Amino acid sequence: MPSRRSALTLFAGAGAALALGAPTALARPAHQRPFGRYGSPSRRLDARTLYVDPHGRGDHTDVQSAVDAASGTCHTLVLAPGTYRSTVLVDATRAELTLVGASGDPRDTVLVYDNAAGTPRPDGSGTYGTSGSATVTVQAAGFTARDVTFANDWLRSDNPEYTGTQAVAIKVQGDRSAFHGCRFLGHQDTLYADSLALTAFARQYYRDCYVEGDVDFVFGRATAVYDRCHFRTLTRTDLASAPYGFVFAPSTAGANPRGYLVLRSRITSTAPDAYYKLARPWVPSSDLTAHPMLTVRESHLGAGIDAVTPYDTMSSGFPWQDQRFAEYRNTGPGARVTVPANRPQLTASEARAHTAAGYLGDWRPYA
């Protein structure tokens, strides 16, 4: 079976690790327009639209140079099908930036790199750490991505000596960050939905997205809504017994009234039944006042989720029972309430506050 790295290079799903379809971009005729309905450098939609193509048919051949050229606000980067292997930083000065995968299929447009938390920095100053491992980092407000894959293809099997195995595909910190039809691929710490500061309650919205991983692969302190998303837990060959990992690890600031909301979504698995926990709270050493919050409602939880004990504690002194975890009207074998004390449920009255509008306020990316 090809590795995640070789599979991404071919724009294809490979076995359980990607499992999302056959090659598409490489099969297209060479004369087909690389930017589809979004114009081209010779037929530019407007002055703030830039075109990126690894084969040289755009304004830029790599994403970071296009981001750097998009100074100011309200730029759109149209990405031709291809694998863009590099790290990308969208700093706070580039507000309202939009990334669009030109084909409309996120499997065609892949932003990927392979740093892990334990990867040594080239300058000898230590290792990257979790945040530094991110393939893409978004600090700007008003960021939008459509039909793009964000991936980190670092593999434990390639680096068994590493203790820092976190490998982030994307770290999102900006307020009003929206992702539509995107994929997030990794293993540990795939999607870091965070904020710029403890006092910054960054709002994020994910619609019709796919996220896969194993340990804490959706984590951070953002106020984030995951609407009609698909979460996929992966099998692991390095462990002989459960649990393999945890889907969510929110670290919501204590002062933030809203954390993670998962609605109308589904969780599937390539691992044996009951080998995954739904969540565990992350109370980082940098914020011992964190009060993690997660609500999962009207979602289908597959057999991979341990229905008896779906939650676990990450750090002693911060038990999951003391956090803001709740469910409402979920279905599937992973949602069975066999031990009521282990499955905190919202009442119908309480559930009325746990909506996209209730979490995102005057920002309506779902409208």
Side-chain angles (χ1 to χ4, degrees):
M1 179 184 294
S3 71
R4 177 188 296 276
R5 188 169 302 123
S6 62
L8 285 170
T9 302
L10 295 171
F11 309 96
L18 286 173
L20 282 178
T24 52
L26 292 184
R28 292 195 171 95
H31 63 271
Q32 187 175 21
R33 294 179 302 170
F35 305 109
R37 62 189 178 89
Y38 296 100
S40 68
S42 61
R43 297 181 297 107
R44 199 175 301 276
L45 296 184
D46 56 58
R48 291 183 176 270
T49 298
L50 300 176
Y51 298 90
V52 187
D53 175 47
H55 304 293
R57 295 167 292 185
D59 300 304
H60 302 272
T61 58
D62 67 279
V63 178
Q64 186 63 63
S65 65
V67 170
D68 293 343
S71 59
T73 62
C74 300
H75 282 79
T76 296
L77 308 186
V78 181
L79 311 183
T83 296
Y84 299 86
R85 178 167 285 278
S86 68
T87 58
V88 176
L89 169 64
V90 181
D91 67 40
T93 67
R94 287 165 171 79
E96 314 299 333
L97 181 71
T98 297
L99 262 59
V100 178
S103 76
D105 185 338
R107 295 173 297 179
D108 291 344
T109 305
V110 180
L111 278 58
V112 59
Y113 207 68
D114 60 350
N115 282 332
T119 301
R121 293 180 179 272
D123 62 4
S125 62
T127 58
Y128 280 105
T130 300
S131 292
S133 74
T135 297
V136 176
T137 301
V138 177
Q139 299 171 341
F143 178 84
T144 300
R146 297 181 182 274
D147 305 320
V148 176
T149 292
F150 302 90
N152 190 315
D153 61 0
W154 184 88
L155 297 171
R156 297 184 186 96
S157 58
D158 291 348
N159 302 275
E161 75 282 7
Y162 279 34
T163 56
T165 57
Q166 301 88 345
V168 177
I170 187 168
K171 181 175 183 178
V172 187
Q173 298 176 283
D175 186 35
R176 296 179 294 103
S177 298
F179 297 81
H180 300 268
C182 292
R183 298 192 311 162
F184 305 90
L185 310 182
H187 287 274
Q188 183 173 356
D189 291 6
T190 304
L191 171 54
Y192 196 170
D194 205 50
S195 71
L196 286 169
L198 284 175
T199 56
F201 302 159
R203 296 165 295 174
Q204 301 173 17
Y205 181 70
Y206 301 81
R207 173 67 182 263
D208 298 319
C209 291
Y210 172 90
V211 193
E212 70 175 27
D214 49 43
V215 178
D216 305 330
F217 64 93
V218 182
F219 74 114
R221 65 176 174 236
T223 294
V225 175
Y226 305 93
D227 189 357
R228 294 185 175 93
C229 292
H230 178 189
F231 303 92
R232 183 78 159 169
T233 62
L234 302 176
T235 195
R236 295 181 62 175
T237 58
D238 59 317
L239 295 179
S241 61
Y244 278 174
F246 313 84
V247 182
F248 303 101
S251 59
T252 321
N256 190 348
R258 296 289 181 263
Y260 285 0
L261 172 64
V262 180
L263 70 157
R264 297 173 291 193
S265 295
R266 60 190 173 113
I267 300 175
T268 63
S269 184
T270 66
D273 291 356
Y275 265 51
Y276 273 86
K277 305 292 187 183
L278 183 59
R280 62 178 180 174
W282 177 32
V283 178
S285 58
S286 59
D287 179 24
L288 297 179
T289 66
H291 195 191
M293 181 179 184
L294 167 71
T295 298
V296 181
R297 61 174 299 173
E298 297 161 314
S299 296
H300 185 87
L301 312 185
I305 297 299
D306 180 356
V308 178
T309 56
Y311 303 105
D312 205 349
T313 294
M314 183 183 296
S315 303
S316 61
F318 303 98
W320 74 262
Q321 293 89 342
D322 291 348
Q323 312 310 323
R324 295 176 284 178
F325 284 4
E327 302 177 49
Y328 183 68
R329 291 187 175 178
N330 294 318
T331 60
R336 288 195 307 268
V337 180
T338 57
V339 181
N342 290 344
R343 309 298 300 249
Q345 303 290 316
L346 297 175
T347 65
S349 176
E350 291 170 335
R352 284 195 282 271
H354 295 265
T355 64
Y359 276 55
L360 302 179
D362 61 356
W363 179 51
R364 299 175 61 85
Y366 49 85

